[in-house]
Amino acid sequence: MSDVIVTVGLDLAKNVFQVHGVDADGRVCVRRKLRRAEVAAFFGELSPCLVGMEACASSHFWAREIARLGHEVKLMPPAYVKPYVKRGKTDASDAEAICEAVTRPTMRFVAVKSEEQQAVLILHKTRELLVRQRTMQTNALRAHLAELGIVAAQGVDGLSSLKAHFQRVMRSLPEHAAEALQAFIRMADGLVDEIERLESRILDWHRTNDASRRLATIPGIGPITASAIAANVPDASLFKTARQFAAWLGLTPRANSSGGKERQMGISKQGDAYIRRLLVSGASAVMRFTRQGDPGKAWLAGIKERKRPKVAAVAQANKTARIAWAILRRNEVFVARSA
């Protein structure tokens, strides 16, 4: 037997990490805890080996750090590692399960993101949070003004007229209510400015990234969606087929089959909810601007006649996701079908 470590399972944490290493024969060579400051030194002393980790918030950082030391690092979805955990859940059993799972031939892996890609995704996540906060403040403003008998139409134009009406009648309202509502308006206006600033930074990155620009040639995909996909999918070859990529986004039917009976439910809604929501929103826009007689939209027109609008939008989003995979895999741009 050889005592050289060939596979390591690393269970990540904030301060205390768990290591499980085996040799070529599967014999356990090391099982120990590491403090955060000891991780780099530990892997620096090892000969190059395969290191497995669960994909989580800090996994991409540690994957880059350990890969710089000459090791092959693979990230796995935690849900795919869980079946390999024996009995009770502990850090040691998690590390052992990771070490076992990373060697399975059918295991699916997560591509390691670069610092630049993570930075772009932080822009997207911050923008998404601010958009939610803006919606919450806008709804609260509408609700409080409605209590005072001031209402307006929905949408951006309705909100603008609502603010203008509030400014006109502000002096006639109770003083405490007027002060609170003014605070809402100031905060909402500040969020609008911050969202526009973040979108400008996302657009700047989109213009400098080749993959993002190619994705933006697809109908229903704009700079926001294109940059989110380009940053989230550094290596499209990890998905063997276009359907696998659509399934990763949760846009494929959820199977519930047994006893030889095939049953398909609604979409699985697994994977990245942010990109899925952007694709469905873009698909809805494509549906609104579909013209009769367009050869490239004949399939969508047929879906719209047979299915409900939301179902048709999801079907179009599924198709858009498959086209996006092909664009990324083949390094091409979208070319619309001619008559």
Side-chain angles (χ1 to χ4, degrees):
M1 291 186 180
S2 173
D3 292 332
V4 178
I5 298 176
V6 298
T7 307
V8 174
L10 179 63
D11 184 49
L12 300 176
K14 292 182 179 178
N15 297 311
V16 180
F17 299 69
Q18 183 71 36
V19 170
H20 184 94
V22 300
D23 60 14
D25 299 318
R27 187 178 63 177
V28 178
C29 298
V30 59
R31 183 189 287 127
R32 56 171 294 191
K33 293 181 179 179
L34 296 174
R35 303 294 297 181
R36 185 181 184 88
E38 301 172 336
V39 175
F42 173 81
F43 284 100
E45 296 175 355
L46 287 181
S47 57
C49 61
L50 173 62
V51 181
M53 294 184 291
E54 289 181 330
C56 63
S58 62
S59 61
H60 296 275
F61 166 78
W62 285 113
R64 293 193 299 267
E65 292 296 312
I66 295 174
R68 290 192 185 103
L69 300 174
H71 302 286
E72 180 185 3
V73 184
K74 292 186 176 182
L75 305 182
M76 298 166 289
Y80 294 167
V81 177
K82 186 176 181 180
Y84 295 92
V85 178
K86 300 181 180 67
R87 291 187 180 271
K89 183 185 184 304
T90 63
D91 291 345
S93 61
D94 286 348
E96 181 181 357
I98 294 170
C99 186
E100 174 70 20
V102 75
T103 60
R104 297 298 91 197
T106 58
M107 179 56 62
R108 296 178 182 175
F109 300 101
V110 178
V112 178
K113 296 181 178 66
S114 65
E115 289 184 348
E116 179 187 9
Q117 290 169 329
Q118 284 190 296
V120 174
L121 291 177
I122 290 174
L123 284 176
H124 277 275
K125 293 173 183 176
T126 305
R127 172 187 172 275
E128 183 185 19
L129 175 62
L130 296 184
V131 168
R132 288 203 306 268
Q133 291 178 344
R134 181 187 62 183
T135 302
M136 293 169 61
Q137 292 182 3
T138 300
N139 291 339
L141 177 64
R142 285 180 177 274
H144 291 318
L145 286 175
E147 293 178 2
L148 300 174
I150 302 173
V151 297
Q154 295 183 353
V156 177
D157 295 337
L159 181 62
S160 299
S161 63
L162 185 68
K163 292 180 181 178
H165 184 62
F166 168 74
Q167 296 297 336
R168 290 194 298 269
V169 302
M170 181 175 60
R171 296 184 181 277
S172 63
L173 298 177
E175 181 181 357
H176 298 312
E179 291 180 357
L181 294 173
Q182 279 184 311
F184 267 125
I185 292 176
R186 288 195 301 270
M187 293 171 64
D189 292 342
L191 285 175
V192 171
D193 295 337
E194 291 297 332
I195 291 171
E196 291 178 351
R197 188 175 297 110
L198 291 174
E199 289 179 347
S200 177
R201 297 297 297 271
I202 292 173
L203 184 59
D204 291 341
W205 185 83
H206 162 74
R207 289 169 176 164
T208 61
N209 186 267
D210 179 65
S212 184
R213 292 199 309 270
R214 286 188 283 106
L215 287 170
T217 62
I218 305 172
I221 292 185
I224 298 295
T225 308
S227 58
I229 296 176
N232 259 295
V233 188
D235 184 9
S237 63
L238 289 177
F239 303 97
K240 296 180 180 179
T241 63
R243 188 187 188 283
Q244 194 176 93
F245 179 66
W248 176 71
L249 293 173
L251 288 169
T252 53
R254 178 167 55 89
N256 187 21
S257 304
S258 179
K261 296 182 179 180
E262 299 291 335
R263 298 186 183 91
Q264 288 187 338
M265 316 294 287
I267 59 172
S268 67
K269 295 185 180 180
Q270 296 179 345
D272 197 307
Y274 177 62
I275 297 180
R276 182 172 63 250
R277 185 165 60 252
L278 291 175
L279 287 173
V280 173
S281 178
S284 300
V286 171
M287 289 175 57
R288 287 197 298 271
F289 293 100
T290 299
R291 298 180 179 178
Q292 294 292 335
D294 186 346
K297 300 295 188 300
W299 174 85
L300 179 57
I303 292 290
K304 289 172 62 177
E305 292 177 358
R306 302 192 307 270
K307 301 293 184 180
R308 299 190 305 274
K310 275 293 185 182
V311 176
V314 172
Q316 176 62 28
N318 184 310
K319 184 176 181 179
T320 302
R322 296 180 183 225
I323 296 173
W325 176 84
I327 293 294
L328 291 174
R329 187 68 185 270
R330 301 170 186 172
N331 293 324
E332 298 175 350
V333 297
F334 178 79
V335 178
R337 184 192 306 173
S338 59

PDB file of all heavy atoms in Angstrom, residues 158-186:
ATOM      1  N   GLY A 158     -47.647  56.308 -12.456  1.00  0.00           N
ATOM      2  CA  GLY A 158     -48.573  56.493 -11.346  1.00  0.00           C
ATOM      3  C   GLY A 158     -47.861  56.901 -10.074  1.00  0.00           C
ATOM      4  O   GLY A 158     -48.349  57.742  -9.309  1.00  0.00           O
ATOM      5  N   LEU A 159     -46.669  56.320  -9.846  1.00  0.00           N
ATOM      6  CA  LEU A 159     -45.900  56.676  -8.660  1.00  0.00           C
ATOM      7  C   LEU A 159     -45.434  58.124  -8.730  1.00  0.00           C
ATOM      8  O   LEU A 159     -45.457  58.847  -7.716  1.00  0.00           O
ATOM      9  CB  LEU A 159     -44.703  55.732  -8.515  1.00  0.00           C
ATOM     10  CG  LEU A 159     -43.799  55.960  -7.303  1.00  0.00           C
ATOM     11  CD1 LEU A 159     -44.579  55.761  -6.013  1.00  0.00           C
ATOM     12  CD2 LEU A 159     -42.592  55.023  -7.350  1.00  0.00           C
ATOM     13  N   SER A 160     -45.019  58.576  -9.898  1.00  0.00           N
ATOM     14  CA  SER A 160     -44.578  59.968 -10.059  1.00  0.00           C
ATOM     15  C   SER A 160     -45.724  60.933  -9.780  1.00  0.00           C
ATOM     16  O   SER A 160     -45.540  61.943  -9.088  1.00  0.00           O
ATOM     17  CB  SER A 160     -44.033  60.179 -11.475  1.00  0.00           C
ATOM     18  OG  SER A 160     -42.927  59.346 -11.718  1.00  0.00           O
ATOM     19  N   SER A 161     -46.909  60.626 -10.307  1.00  0.00           N
ATOM     20  CA  SER A 161     -48.060  61.498 -10.048  1.00  0.00           C
ATOM     21  C   SER A 161     -48.465  61.459  -8.580  1.00  0.00           C
ATOM     22  O   SER A 161     -48.912  62.466  -8.014  1.00  0.00           O
ATOM     23  CB  SER A 161     -49.242  61.078 -10.931  1.00  0.00           C
ATOM     24  OG  SER A 161     -49.661  59.755 -10.610  1.00  0.00           O
ATOM     25  N   LEU A 162     -48.266  60.292  -7.947  1.00  0.00           N
ATOM     26  CA  LEU A 162     -48.574  60.173  -6.519  1.00  0.00           C
ATOM     27  C   LEU A 162     -47.655  61.063  -5.691  1.00  0.00           C
ATOM     28  O   LEU A 162     -48.107  61.758  -4.766  1.00  0.00           O
ATOM     29  CB  LEU A 162     -48.443  58.713  -6.089  1.00  0.00           C
ATOM     30  CG  LEU A 162     -48.850  58.377  -4.645  1.00  0.00           C
ATOM     31  CD1 LEU A 162     -50.358  58.556  -4.478  1.00  0.00           C
ATOM     32  CD2 LEU A 162     -48.457  56.952  -4.298  1.00  0.00           C
ATOM     33  N   LYS A 163     -46.376  61.065  -6.013  1.00  0.00           N
ATOM     34  CA  LYS A 163     -45.432  61.924  -5.294  1.00  0.00           C
ATOM     35  C   LYS A 163     -45.754  63.397  -5.519  1.00  0.00           C
ATOM     36  O   LYS A 163     -45.685  64.210  -4.589  1.00  0.00           O
ATOM     37  CB  LYS A 163     -44.006  61.614  -5.750  1.00  0.00           C
ATOM     38  CG  LYS A 163     -43.481  60.254  -5.346  1.00  0.00           C
ATOM     39  CD  LYS A 163     -42.070  60.052  -5.859  1.00  0.00           C
ATOM     40  CE  LYS A 163     -41.529  58.687  -5.484  1.00  0.00           C
ATOM     41  NZ  LYS A 163     -40.151  58.462  -6.017  1.00  0.00           N
ATOM     42  N   ALA A 164     -46.080  63.736  -6.759  1.00  0.00           N
ATOM     43  CA  ALA A 164     -46.401  65.140  -7.060  1.00  0.00           C
ATOM     44  C   ALA A 164     -47.644  65.589  -6.298  1.00  0.00           C
ATOM     45  O   ALA A 164     -47.689  66.705  -5.752  1.00  0.00           O
ATOM     46  CB  ALA A 164     -46.602  65.301  -8.567  1.00  0.00           C
ATOM     47  N   HIS A 165     -48.662  64.725  -6.229  1.00  0.00           N
ATOM     48  CA  HIS A 165     -49.881  65.072  -5.499  1.00  0.00           C
ATOM     49  C   HIS A 165     -49.591  65.214  -4.009  1.00  0.00           C
ATOM     50  O   HIS A 165     -50.149  66.105  -3.339  1.00  0.00           O
ATOM     51  CB  HIS A 165     -50.941  64.001  -5.740  1.00  0.00           C
ATOM     52  CG  HIS A 165     -52.266  64.306  -5.103  1.00  0.00           C
ATOM     53  ND1 HIS A 165     -53.020  65.418  -5.434  1.00  0.00           N
ATOM     54  CD2 HIS A 165     -52.974  63.653  -4.139  1.00  0.00           C
ATOM     55  CE1 HIS A 165     -54.120  65.441  -4.710  1.00  0.00           C
ATOM     56  NE2 HIS A 165     -54.111  64.371  -3.915  1.00  0.00           N
ATOM     57  N   PHE A 166     -48.732  64.349  -3.499  1.00  0.00           N
ATOM     58  CA  PHE A 166     -48.373  64.436  -2.080  1.00  0.00           C
ATOM     59  C   PHE A 166     -47.691  65.766  -1.775  1.00  0.00           C
ATOM     60  O   PHE A 166     -47.965  66.389  -0.736  1.00  0.00           O
ATOM     61  CB  PHE A 166     -47.459  63.269  -1.704  1.00  0.00           C
ATOM     62  CG  PHE A 166     -46.805  63.422  -0.362  1.00  0.00           C
ATOM     63  CD1 PHE A 166     -47.536  63.249   0.800  1.00  0.00           C
ATOM     64  CD2 PHE A 166     -45.455  63.756  -0.266  1.00  0.00           C
ATOM     65  CE1 PHE A 166     -46.930  63.399   2.042  1.00  0.00           C
ATOM     66  CE2 PHE A 166     -44.846  63.901   0.975  1.00  0.00           C
ATOM     67  CZ  PHE A 166     -45.594  63.721   2.125  1.00  0.00           C
ATOM     68  N   GLN A 167     -46.799  66.216  -2.657  1.00  0.00           N
ATOM     69  CA  GLN A 167     -46.116  67.493  -2.429  1.00  0.00           C
ATOM     70  C   GLN A 167     -47.107  68.658  -2.410  1.00  0.00           C
ATOM     71  O   GLN A 167     -46.919  69.630  -1.663  1.00  0.00           O
ATOM     72  CB  GLN A 167     -45.056  67.714  -3.516  1.00  0.00           C
ATOM     73  CG  GLN A 167     -43.919  66.708  -3.523  1.00  0.00           C
ATOM     74  CD  GLN A 167     -43.086  66.747  -2.258  1.00  0.00           C
ATOM     75  OE1 GLN A 167     -43.035  67.763  -1.562  1.00  0.00           O
ATOM     76  NE2 GLN A 167     -42.438  65.630  -1.942  1.00  0.00           N
ATOM     77  N   ARG A 168     -48.175  68.548  -3.204  1.00  0.00           N
ATOM     78  CA  ARG A 168     -49.140  69.643  -3.258  1.00  0.00           C
ATOM     79  C   ARG A 168     -50.000  69.719  -1.990  1.00  0.00           C
ATOM     80  O   ARG A 168     -50.348  70.813  -1.541  1.00  0.00           O
ATOM     81  CB  ARG A 168     -50.046  69.475  -4.479  1.00  0.00           C
ATOM     82  CG  ARG A 168     -49.340  69.722  -5.808  1.00  0.00           C
ATOM     83  CD  ARG A 168     -50.348  69.870  -6.951  1.00  0.00           C
ATOM     84  NE  ARG A 168     -51.137  68.664  -7.138  1.00  0.00           N
ATOM     85  CZ  ARG A 168     -50.802  67.679  -7.965  1.00  0.00           C
ATOM     86  NH1 ARG A 168     -49.671  67.757  -8.674  1.00  0.00           N
ATOM     87  NH2 ARG A 168     -51.565  66.612  -8.098  1.00  0.00           N
ATOM     88  N   VAL A 169     -50.334  68.540  -1.439  1.00  0.00           N
ATOM     89  CA  VAL A 169     -51.258  68.529  -0.290  1.00  0.00           C
ATOM     90  C   VAL A 169     -50.521  68.259   1.018  1.00  0.00           C
ATOM     91  O   VAL A 169     -51.166  68.036   2.050  1.00  0.00           O
ATOM     92  CB  VAL A 169     -52.356  67.472  -0.510  1.00  0.00           C
ATOM     93  CG1 VAL A 169     -53.128  67.752  -1.787  1.00  0.00           C
ATOM     94  CG2 VAL A 169     -51.761  66.058  -0.545  1.00  0.00           C
ATOM     95  N   MET A 170     -49.203  68.263   0.986  1.00  0.00           N
ATOM     96  CA  MET A 170     -48.421  67.871   2.170  1.00  0.00           C
ATOM     97  C   MET A 170     -48.749  68.742   3.380  1.00  0.00           C
ATOM     98  O   MET A 170     -48.855  68.249   4.509  1.00  0.00           O
ATOM     99  CB  MET A 170     -46.932  67.959   1.842  1.00  0.00           C
ATOM    100  CG  MET A 170     -46.016  67.556   2.979  1.00  0.00           C
ATOM    101  SD  MET A 170     -44.297  67.559   2.460  1.00  0.00           S
ATOM    102  CE  MET A 170     -44.107  69.289   1.970  1.00  0.00           C
ATOM    103  N   ARG A 171     -48.934  70.041   3.181  1.00  0.00           N
ATOM    104  CA  ARG A 171     -49.169  70.947   4.313  1.00  0.00           C
ATOM    105  C   ARG A 171     -50.523  70.710   4.967  1.00  0.00           C
ATOM    106  O   ARG A 171     -50.716  71.078   6.137  1.00  0.00           O
ATOM    107  CB  ARG A 171     -49.061  72.393   3.840  1.00  0.00           C
ATOM    108  CG  ARG A 171     -47.668  72.760   3.350  1.00  0.00           C
ATOM    109  CD  ARG A 171     -47.573  74.230   2.981  1.00  0.00           C
ATOM    110  NE  ARG A 171     -46.258  74.575   2.494  1.00  0.00           N
ATOM    111  CZ  ARG A 171     -45.208  74.861   3.265  1.00  0.00           C
ATOM    112  NH1 ARG A 171     -45.358  74.845   4.586  1.00  0.00           N
ATOM    113  NH2 ARG A 171     -44.042  75.150   2.740  1.00  0.00           N
ATOM    114  N   SER A 172     -51.442  70.099   4.227  1.00  0.00           N
ATOM    115  CA  SER A 172     -52.765  69.852   4.799  1.00  0.00           C
ATOM    116  C   SER A 172     -52.838  68.526   5.545  1.00  0.00           C
ATOM    117  O   SER A 172     -53.862  68.228   6.174  1.00  0.00           O
ATOM    118  CB  SER A 172     -53.822  69.873   3.694  1.00  0.00           C
ATOM    119  OG  SER A 172     -53.590  68.827   2.758  1.00  0.00           O
ATOM    120  N   LEU A 173     -51.790  67.733   5.486  1.00  0.00           N
ATOM    121  CA  LEU A 173     -51.765  66.431   6.155  1.00  0.00           C
ATOM    122  C   LEU A 173     -51.247  66.583   7.582  1.00  0.00           C
ATOM    123  O   LEU A 173     -50.576  67.571   7.918  1.00  0.00           O
ATOM    124  CB  LEU A 173     -50.874  65.462   5.376  1.00  0.00           C
ATOM    125  CG  LEU A 173     -51.290  65.135   3.939  1.00  0.00           C
ATOM    126  CD1 LEU A 173     -50.258  64.212   3.297  1.00  0.00           C
ATOM    127  CD2 LEU A 173     -52.674  64.489   3.906  1.00  0.00           C
ATOM    128  N   PRO A 174     -51.547  65.602   8.460  1.00  0.00           N
ATOM    129  CA  PRO A 174     -50.971  65.644   9.813  1.00  0.00           C
ATOM    130  C   PRO A 174     -49.446  65.724   9.758  1.00  0.00           C
ATOM    131  O   PRO A 174     -48.803  65.067   8.925  1.00  0.00           O
ATOM    132  CB  PRO A 174     -51.443  64.325  10.427  1.00  0.00           C
ATOM    133  CG  PRO A 174     -52.686  63.977   9.672  1.00  0.00           C
ATOM    134  CD  PRO A 174     -52.475  64.484   8.282  1.00  0.00           C
ATOM    135  N   GLU A 175     -48.864  66.510  10.645  1.00  0.00           N
ATOM    136  CA  GLU A 175     -47.418  66.773  10.590  1.00  0.00           C
ATOM    137  C   GLU A 175     -46.585  65.502  10.705  1.00  0.00           C
ATOM    138  O   GLU A 175     -45.632  65.304   9.952  1.00  0.00           O
ATOM    139  CB  GLU A 175     -47.046  67.750  11.711  1.00  0.00           C
ATOM    140  CG  GLU A 175     -45.564  68.109  11.739  1.00  0.00           C
ATOM    141  CD  GLU A 175     -45.230  69.051  12.863  1.00  0.00           C
ATOM    142  OE1 GLU A 175     -46.157  69.468  13.593  1.00  0.00           O
ATOM    143  OE2 GLU A 175     -44.038  69.375  13.033  1.00  0.00           O
ATOM    144  N   HIS A 176     -46.941  64.626  11.653  1.00  0.00           N
ATOM    145  CA  HIS A 176     -46.159  63.409  11.849  1.00  0.00           C
ATOM    146  C   HIS A 176     -46.225  62.500  10.617  1.00  0.00           C
ATOM    147  O   HIS A 176     -45.216  61.907  10.206  1.00  0.00           O
ATOM    148  CB  HIS A 176     -46.655  62.645  13.075  1.00  0.00           C
ATOM    149  CG  HIS A 176     -46.519  63.428  14.339  1.00  0.00           C
ATOM    150  ND1 HIS A 176     -45.370  64.089  14.682  1.00  0.00           N
ATOM    151  CD2 HIS A 176     -47.404  63.659  15.360  1.00  0.00           C
ATOM    152  CE1 HIS A 176     -45.525  64.695  15.847  1.00  0.00           C
ATOM    153  NE2 HIS A 176     -46.758  64.451  16.277  1.00  0.00           N
ATOM    154  N   ALA A 177     -47.400  62.403   9.998  1.00  0.00           N
ATOM    155  CA  ALA A 177     -47.546  61.568   8.809  1.00  0.00           C
ATOM    156  C   ALA A 177     -46.734  62.141   7.653  1.00  0.00           C
ATOM    157  O   ALA A 177     -46.079  61.400   6.901  1.00  0.00           O
ATOM    158  CB  ALA A 177     -49.017  61.462   8.422  1.00  0.00           C
ATOM    159  N   ALA A 178     -46.759  63.450   7.486  1.00  0.00           N
ATOM    160  CA  ALA A 178     -46.021  64.084   6.395  1.00  0.00           C
ATOM    161  C   ALA A 178     -44.518  63.844   6.533  1.00  0.00           C
ATOM    162  O   ALA A 178     -43.826  63.567   5.551  1.00  0.00           O
ATOM    163  CB  ALA A 178     -46.322  65.575   6.360  1.00  0.00           C
ATOM    164  N   GLU A 179     -43.998  63.931   7.760  1.00  0.00           N
ATOM    165  CA  GLU A 179     -42.563  63.708   7.973  1.00  0.00           C
ATOM    166  C   GLU A 179     -42.178  62.261   7.649  1.00  0.00           C
ATOM    167  O   GLU A 179     -41.150  62.003   7.024  1.00  0.00           O
ATOM    168  CB  GLU A 179     -42.199  64.049   9.419  1.00  0.00           C
ATOM    169  CG  GLU A 179     -42.271  65.534   9.752  1.00  0.00           C
ATOM    170  CD  GLU A 179     -41.904  65.807  11.191  1.00  0.00           C
ATOM    171  OE1 GLU A 179     -41.653  64.820  11.934  1.00  0.00           O
ATOM    172  OE2 GLU A 179     -41.856  66.984  11.576  1.00  0.00           O
ATOM    173  N   ALA A 180     -43.008  61.313   8.086  1.00  0.00           N
ATOM    174  CA  ALA A 180     -42.703  59.904   7.818  1.00  0.00           C
ATOM    175  C   ALA A 180     -42.744  59.603   6.328  1.00  0.00           C
ATOM    176  O   ALA A 180     -41.875  58.900   5.791  1.00  0.00           O
ATOM    177  CB  ALA A 180     -43.687  59.010   8.570  1.00  0.00           C
ATOM    178  N   LEU A 181     -43.738  60.167   5.626  1.00  0.00           N
ATOM    179  CA  LEU A 181     -43.866  59.915   4.196  1.00  0.00           C
ATOM    180  C   LEU A 181     -42.747  60.585   3.409  1.00  0.00           C
ATOM    181  O   LEU A 181     -42.282  60.048   2.393  1.00  0.00           O
ATOM    182  CB  LEU A 181     -45.235  60.391   3.706  1.00  0.00           C
ATOM    183  CG  LEU A 181     -46.425  59.604   4.272  1.00  0.00           C
ATOM    184  CD1 LEU A 181     -47.740  60.258   3.879  1.00  0.00           C
ATOM    185  CD2 LEU A 181     -46.388  58.161   3.816  1.00  0.00           C
ATOM    186  N   GLN A 182     -42.298  61.743   3.853  1.00  0.00           N
ATOM    187  CA  GLN A 182     -41.153  62.392   3.202  1.00  0.00           C
ATOM    188  C   GLN A 182     -39.895  61.536   3.334  1.00  0.00           C
ATOM    189  O   GLN A 182     -39.075  61.465   2.408  1.00  0.00           O
ATOM    190  CB  GLN A 182     -40.921  63.775   3.806  1.00  0.00           C
ATOM    191  CG  GLN A 182     -41.828  64.857   3.248  1.00  0.00           C
ATOM    192  CD  GLN A 182     -41.492  66.218   3.810  1.00  0.00           C
ATOM    193  OE1 GLN A 182     -41.351  66.393   5.028  1.00  0.00           O
ATOM    194  NE2 GLN A 182     -41.350  67.197   2.948  1.00  0.00           N
ATOM    195  N   ALA A 183     -39.743  60.858   4.479  1.00  0.00           N
ATOM    196  CA  ALA A 183     -38.591  59.967   4.663  1.00  0.00           C
ATOM    197  C   ALA A 183     -38.651  58.810   3.672  1.00  0.00           C
ATOM    198  O   ALA A 183     -37.628  58.417   3.089  1.00  0.00           O
ATOM    199  CB  ALA A 183     -38.566  59.446   6.094  1.00  0.00           C
ATOM    200  N   PHE A 184     -39.852  58.261   3.446  1.00  0.00           N
ATOM    201  CA  PHE A 184     -40.012  57.196   2.453  1.00  0.00           C
ATOM    202  C   PHE A 184     -39.594  57.667   1.070  1.00  0.00           C
ATOM    203  O   PHE A 184     -38.887  56.972   0.333  1.00  0.00           O
ATOM    204  CB  PHE A 184     -41.471  56.727   2.414  1.00  0.00           C
ATOM    205  CG  PHE A 184     -41.748  55.561   3.316  1.00  0.00           C
ATOM    206  CD1 PHE A 184     -42.744  55.632   4.270  1.00  0.00           C
ATOM    207  CD2 PHE A 184     -41.025  54.382   3.208  1.00  0.00           C
ATOM    208  CE1 PHE A 184     -43.008  54.568   5.099  1.00  0.00           C
ATOM    209  CE2 PHE A 184     -41.282  53.307   4.036  1.00  0.00           C
ATOM    210  CZ  PHE A 184     -42.273  53.400   4.991  1.00  0.00           C
ATOM    211  N   ILE A 185     -40.026  58.854   0.689  1.00  0.00           N
ATOM    212  CA  ILE A 185     -39.735  59.371  -0.650  1.00  0.00           C
ATOM    213  C   ILE A 185     -38.239  59.611  -0.816  1.00  0.00           C
ATOM    214  O   ILE A 185     -37.649  59.280  -1.853  1.00  0.00           O
ATOM    215  CB  ILE A 185     -40.538  60.667  -0.900  1.00  0.00           C
ATOM    216  CG1 ILE A 185     -42.032  60.337  -0.985  1.00  0.00           C
ATOM    217  CG2 ILE A 185     -40.076  61.348  -2.187  1.00  0.00           C
ATOM    218  CD1 ILE A 185     -42.925  61.545  -1.139  1.00  0.00           C
ATOM    219  N   ARG A 186     -37.594  60.169   0.215  1.00  0.00           N
ATOM    220  CA  ARG A 186     -36.147  60.398   0.127  1.00  0.00           C
ATOM    221  C   ARG A 186     -35.384  59.090  -0.005  1.00  0.00           C
ATOM    222  O   ARG A 186     -34.455  58.971  -0.817  1.00  0.00           O
ATOM    223  CB  ARG A 186     -35.661  61.162   1.360  1.00  0.00           C
ATOM    224  CG  ARG A 186     -36.067  62.624   1.397  1.00  0.00           C
ATOM    225  CD  ARG A 186     -35.254  63.368   2.430  1.00  0.00           C
ATOM    226  NE  ARG A 186     -35.423  62.799   3.764  1.00  0.00           N
ATOM    227  CZ  ARG A 186     -36.356  63.185   4.639  1.00  0.00           C
ATOM    228  NH1 ARG A 186     -37.210  64.153   4.296  1.00  0.00           N
ATOM    229  NH2 ARG A 186     -36.450  62.635   5.832  1.00  0.00           N
TER     230      ARG A 186
END
